[in-house]
């Protein structure tokens, strides 16, 4: 069996809008999120298909360091490209 991938990703997310925005990321549904940290602290999140909805908002001009650990097998089926 294919072991898939294991990823530790670090990113800086900045709100360049004039309003508050939620922290939403998109990840192939074949990949399972193990943990998410914002500014070094674990945060809760939920998954809706490809969307990863983090319980965190960014005010205008704010930036946050986000660490996400995930693993699994990338699904290549065409049905996931339109979700």
């Amino acid at each position: 069996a294919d072991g898939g991938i294991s990823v530790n990703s670090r990113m800086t997310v900045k709100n360049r809008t004039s309003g508050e925005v939620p922290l939403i990321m998109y990840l192939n549904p074949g990949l399972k999120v193990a943990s998410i940290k914002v500014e070094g602290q674990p945060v809760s999140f939920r998954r809706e298909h490809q969307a990863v909805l983090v319980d965190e908002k960014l005010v205008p001009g704010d930036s946050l360091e986000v660490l996400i650990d995930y693993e699994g097998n990338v699904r290549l089926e065409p049905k996931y490209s339109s979700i």
Side-chain angles (χ1 to χ4, degrees):
D2 187 357
I5 61 172
S6 177
V7 179
N8 306 102
S9 177
R10 176 187 312 237
M11 65 189 92
T12 301
V13 181
K14 182 166 181 143
N15 179 0
R16 295 182 179 178
T17 72
S18 60
E20 187 176 81
V21 295
L23 180 54
I24 300 174
M25 297 173 280
Y26 292 88
L27 194 62
N28 185 280
L31 300 171
K32 181 180 178 189
V33 177
S35 69
I36 299 177
K37 292 181 180 179
V38 174
E39 296 297 321
Q41 299 298 314
V43 294
S44 59
F45 62 92
R46 71 184 190 281
R47 187 80 187 256
E48 292 182 12
H49 304 286
Q50 290 178 310
V52 179
L53 307 149
V54 182
D55 290 337
E56 194 73 39
K57 293 188 187 245
L58 287 93
V59 297
D62 197 13
S63 64
L64 298 171
E65 181 183 72
V66 179
L67 304 170
I68 180 170
D69 294 334
Y70 58 93
E71 62 186 15
N73 291 289
V74 174
R75 292 188 189 166
L76 301 176
E77 296 92 355
K79 65 181 178 181
Y80 294 110
S81 63
S82 62
I83 293 178

